[in-house]
Amino acid sequence: MGYLRFLIDNRLFLLAGFLLTFTSSFGQTYFISLFAGEIKGAFGLSDGGWGGIYTIGTTLSAVTMIWAGALTDRFRVRHLSFWVMVLLALACVAMAMVQKGFLLIFVIYALRLMGQGMLSQLGAVAMSRWFIATRGRALSLSSMGFAVGQAMLPVMFVALLATWHWQSLWLLAAGCIVVLIPVMQILLKQERTPQSMASGTQSLGMDAQHWTRGQMLRHPLFYILIPLVLGPSAWGTALFFQQVHLTEVKGWSLVSYVALMPIYMVASITFTFITGSAIDRFGVKWIVPFQMVPFGISFLVLAYADTIFMAGVGLVIFGVGQGMQGTATSAFWAVFYGTRNLGAIKAAAAALMVFGSAIGPGITGALIDFGIDFPDQMIPIAFFYFGGALMAGFGILRYQRDLPVTA
């Protein structure tokens, strides 16, 4: 089935997945960090102080995700997405109205849990369950929401920041979410049955069984893959969290840097589609280890970049990694561990990912306060990526023999 026919036949479900990932943008670091300068100025925070608040709030959301993510095994996407989107809109309103610096911890907690955590989880789990033979294509199409959000929203909101007060923009964000809530309800009016409730269309994982979260946590493969799960989240989050600092150190204007996001989006979307097709054709086990390599290369390029053109080159390469990672990692859990308990299994991985996004800004912010600029930190981070790729390749090579013959 070609992409166009697949898109037409499944348009309602794919658009729902797209909107879930797109709406998660309002709780993603690349959006929140646009207001870093204003937030630090309003509350008298240093880079380390703001990074510490972000780390605490995001870590709390990671812990909550272990429980909250498993709700996707029990409730339909239509019902769960309604409440998650309502709570995300309220979190945006809270950011617009917060008066005390310490309360930022709770606002960040809500934004990260509902945005990066639950909406991302809902989008990935829904696609992985609703589609089996075409899972790669479904994930690639739905995850375009991440790329489109990351390309459009920073440009739009940075432009508005020149004439609007930053708190008013958070009210605008809340309004955008409210508008999308009824759209999501209409799209999922006749939602497909979650596979935790229907046994006929489940796919098995290693050893031809449906793994529980407890079984996964007792298996070596999960721990071998920790750098692969944690790394892109930790250091990718840091890249966007520290974008104001990065542009200041490099001598670039923030507007010029943010204007590079559309070419980053093109690279991300292109490799999202390429990866989706490759997964359906060759299997996810052949794709996952390589997704870390572009991240490492991009950090080396950005570390040494001295022009805005080279910054664009680095972001394009980073977009290649994002396109691969957004599709391949989501498909990996369903293929290796089965789909019956996918929500609980992916919740553990999502918690690790969210925790990574917590420590990235905290570590890099603290190092900046100690006098180590973020470009200097990028070089060891690049080798972290390369090491994670080697570990993932070893683990998957070792355990792919346990997969059913159809995987």
Side-chain angles (χ1 to χ4, degrees):
M1 185 188 302
Y3 256 116
L4 182 59
R5 173 53 55 188
F6 176 72
L7 177 61
I8 293 172
D9 290 346
N10 299 279
R11 58 192 179 278
L12 297 182
F13 303 109
L14 294 171
L15 181 56
F18 173 89
L19 289 179
L20 286 169
T21 57
F22 176 81
T23 310
S24 77
S25 298
F26 298 105
Q28 299 279 6
T29 298
Y30 56 77
F31 184 80
I32 299 172
S33 65
L34 297 174
F35 306 91
E38 286 71 20
I39 292 172
K40 288 189 292 183
F43 297 99
L45 299 170
S46 66
D47 286 295
W50 168 228
I53 287 173
Y54 202 82
T55 294
I56 294 171
T58 305
T59 300
L60 291 173
S61 72
V63 174
T64 307
M65 268 302 296
I66 297 173
W67 166 80
L71 295 176
T72 55
D73 288 332
R74 299 175 55 194
F75 299 99
R76 291 180 182 272
V77 175
R78 184 172 190 259
H79 300 148
L80 198 53
S81 64
F82 173 83
W83 292 108
V84 171
M85 293 173 77
V86 167
L87 292 172
L88 180 59
L90 291 175
C92 291
V93 173
M95 178 61 92
M97 301 178 65
V98 64
Q99 299 294 320
K100 301 293 184 180
F102 74 92
L103 293 176
L104 283 171
I105 293 175
F106 303 101
V107 176
I108 295 299
Y109 165 77
L111 287 170
R112 303 292 279 153
L113 176 61
M114 298 303 157
Q116 186 202 22
M118 287 301 294
L119 284 179
S120 299
Q121 165 94 345
L122 277 168
V125 169
M127 295 301 104
S128 296
R129 280 197 172 131
W130 293 342
F131 303 93
I132 297 178
T134 55
R135 182 180 290 137
R137 272 171 281 185
L139 284 165
S140 66
L141 287 164
S142 67
S143 65
M144 281 180 59
F146 292 121
V148 173
Q150 198 163 357
M152 291 178 52
L153 294 178
V155 175
M156 292 171 54
F157 277 78
V158 166
L160 290 172
L161 198 55
T163 55
W164 287 43
H165 192 273
W166 70 274
Q167 290 169 312
S168 299
L169 291 178
W170 279 102
L171 293 177
L172 176 62
C176 292
I177 298 168
V178 169
V179 168
L180 290 174
I181 291 174
V183 176
M184 182 64 62
Q185 296 300 297
I186 293 171
L187 289 173
L188 295 179
K189 189 173 182 179
Q190 294 183 347
E191 181 185 340
R192 295 181 178 183
T193 302
Q195 288 185 348
S196 55
M197 303 175 190
S199 59
T201 56
Q202 294 175 351
S203 59
L204 299 169
M206 292 181 291
D207 299 325
Q209 65 173 318
H210 290 290
W211 290 61
T212 66
R213 183 162 64 188
Q215 289 173 320
M216 180 189 73
L217 294 176
R218 292 190 295 270
H219 192 270
L221 180 59
F222 178 77
Y223 298 94
I224 294 172
L225 294 177
I226 283 178
L228 181 139
V229 177
L230 187 144
S233 178
W235 311 124
T237 297
L239 174 62
F240 292 100
F241 186 82
Q242 303 296 357
Q243 61 187 348
V244 174
H245 165 81
L246 177 64
T247 55
E248 290 174 351
V249 170
K250 294 287 190 177
W252 305 325
S253 73
L254 179 60
V255 173
S256 298
Y257 183 78
V258 170
L260 297 172
M261 292 303 146
I263 63 171
Y264 157 83
M265 179 194 72
V266 171
S268 180
I269 288 177
T270 300
F271 274 82
T272 293
F273 284 127
I274 291 173
T275 304
S277 293
I279 288 171
D280 290 341
R281 184 173 181 181
F282 303 110
V284 71
K285 59 182 177 288
W286 300 111
I287 309 299
V288 168
F290 296 101
Q291 71 190 39
M292 296 284 276
V293 176
F295 288 125
I297 295 173
S298 70
F299 268 64
L300 287 177
V301 171
L302 288 167
Y304 292 107
D306 55 1
T307 64
I308 200 70
F309 173 80
M310 288 306 299
V313 172
L315 286 175
V316 166
I317 300 172
F318 187 83
V320 171
Q322 285 286 82
M324 295 177 69
Q325 189 258 350
T327 305
T329 305
S330 295
F332 173 85
W333 306 111
V335 170
F336 274 73
Y337 296 103
T339 55
R340 180 177 296 164
N341 305 301
L342 183 60
I345 284 172
K346 197 175 182 306
L352 185 60
M353 178 195 70
V354 175
F355 177 68
S357 71
I359 63 174
I363 291 172
T364 55
L367 290 174
I368 290 170
D369 280 358
F370 278 113
I372 305 174
D373 289 333
F374 187 55
D376 295 327
Q377 301 176 37
M378 287 178 153
I379 299 171
I381 290 173
F383 287 96
F384 178 97
Y385 280 123
F386 296 141
L390 290 174
M391 289 182 64
F394 166 78
I396 291 175
L397 186 65
R398 164 64 180 82
Y399 291 105
Q400 67 176 344
R401 68 189 69 171
D402 299 330
L403 290 172
V405 292
T406 57

